[in-house]
Amino acid sequence: MPRTPMALLSPADQERLRALRRMKAIAIGALVFMAVVFVIAFAFQERLGWLGYVRAAAEGGMVGALADWFAVTALFRRPLGLPIPHTAIIPNRKDEIGRTLGEFVETNFLAADVVRTKLATTAIARRAGDWLQQQPHAERVAAEGATIATAVLNALSDDDVRDLITDLAREHLVQPEWGPPAGVWLEKIVHADAHHGAVDLAADSIATWLDSNAESFTGLVSRRLPSWVPRLAHRFVDETVYHEAVKFVHAVQADPHHPARLAIDGYLARLADNLQHDPATRDKLENAKASLFDSPRVGALAAEAWNTAKAGLLTALADPASGLRVRAARAVQEVGERLTTDAALQTRVDTWVSEAAVFLVDRYRHDIASIITDTVERWDPAETTEKIELMVGRDLQYIRLNGTVVGALAGLAIFSIAHALIPGV
């Protein structure tokens, strides 16, 4: 009988224990009943001859009950505490039982052909799609994903992330030379006239600014004139400069071949060539790049960007109504819909899952089965005995009860045959 307190057992194990105790009581009651019948029949069989048959049946029932009691008890412990050979089989051979069970599972369940055959008859992709396209299930998947992502973000050290970003930026941005790649890129832009749009945008922006800020030219040039120049001349000079600037910008806007545009084209072409072939230009670019990335302000901005991004992600992941969670759930539903309607995708997913499972079984089936062996080896013998007795003990008590009945019938049959073959016995 398991010795673990009821409070430490799971509800299912508690119910098993109650059923086991009931069946043990019934089996013992049957043995006691046979013993009482035997005593009564033995005492009065001289007066009533037919009680001999009852005595024989009761005697056979007691023998069957005791034999099956011994057999069942010997599985779990030593009957009456006696050191009888081949008893207490489970606690004494626990490790061997675990190894045998592990080998049985490995051979018969973790075989590649068994796994492949089972998966071939299972519509994995379609079933998964049916489940995923239901909104509650999609939201559950999104929620579980959010929980995992939140745990990962919280586990990350901000200092380690900043160091990683710094190392990656230095390795992929700072250390490589920018000059030649930038020169090649700029050369392609100039040859394709792709920069003209940027020039047009700059000219339009300058023209708009000039139209809105004519007063900014007041005194721009005139304040540098000698003091003896009349005030009227000051105003004339400023207006002339302003109108010339406006005229110049409008001319640049109107003429695709304006000298200023050609000058810009020439400058960009020379810059592209210098970035590729002029060491001095390349050095200037590298120095500017190093100054930029070594600036404490840039490092602070990177750290602030990471902290802001992390805080935003954590907030979105924690809110079921956030756009991130809603879009994630919708994406899961869309995946489910595709899995239920796209036959080609179903075939690919089923094939991938089947091949992955077969690969894992082929390579790791011994390791998987060893979980059973290692787990059983770690169990305490008494604990193992209790676990197994709780699982199968009730059925074994039926064997005791059946043994009582079969023994009674066998005793009655033997007694009857003996009297039939040997009259007077």
Side-chain angles (χ1 to χ4, degrees), residues 12 21 25 31 85 155 158 213 231 290 359 378 412:
R21 287 172 174 171
L31 174 59
D158 292 341
N213 297 275
R231 290 290 179 184
F359 171 79
R378 287 195 299 269
L412 177 61

Side-chain angles (χ1 to χ4, degrees), residues 132-145:
L132 289 174
Q133 69 178 342
Q134 299 179 35
Q135 185 174 353
H137 297 162
E139 291 176 350
R140 178 181 174 185
V141 172
E144 295 296 337

Side-chain angles (χ1 to χ4, degrees), residues 165-190:
I165 293 175
T166 301
D167 292 341
L168 291 175
R170 190 166 298 280
E171 179 181 354
H172 298 287
L173 294 178
V174 179
Q175 291 180 357
E177 188 177 6
W178 284 15
V184 172
W185 175 74
L186 182 57
E187 185 177 41
K188 290 181 179 179
I189 290 177
V190 173

Side-chain angles (χ1 to χ4, degrees), residues 66-140:
L66 289 172
D68 286 343
W69 165 82
F70 181 90
V72 170
T73 303
L75 287 173
F76 304 104
R77 57 189 60 86
R78 297 188 183 281
L80 302 177
L82 300 176
I84 303 173
H86 304 293
T87 58
I89 295 173
I90 290 176
N92 290 334
R93 301 181 62 185
K94 170 181 68 69
D95 294 346
E96 183 179 348
I97 292 173
R99 286 192 296 272
T100 302
L101 181 59
E103 292 173 359
F104 177 79
V105 171
E106 178 180 351
T107 303
N108 296 280
F109 293 93
L110 298 180
D113 55 341
V114 173
V115 174
R116 183 179 284 107
T117 301
K118 178 60 179 177
L119 293 179
T121 59
T122 305
I124 300 173
R126 184 176 55 78
R127 290 186 179 181
D130 290 338
W131 191 84
L132 289 174
Q133 69 178 342
Q134 299 179 35
Q135 185 174 353
H137 297 162
E139 291 176 350
R140 178 181 174 185

Side-chain angles (χ1 to χ4, degrees), residues 187-198 265:
E187 185 177 41
K188 290 181 179 179
I189 290 177
V190 173
H191 285 170
D193 294 332
H195 64 292
H196 287 172
D265 293 346

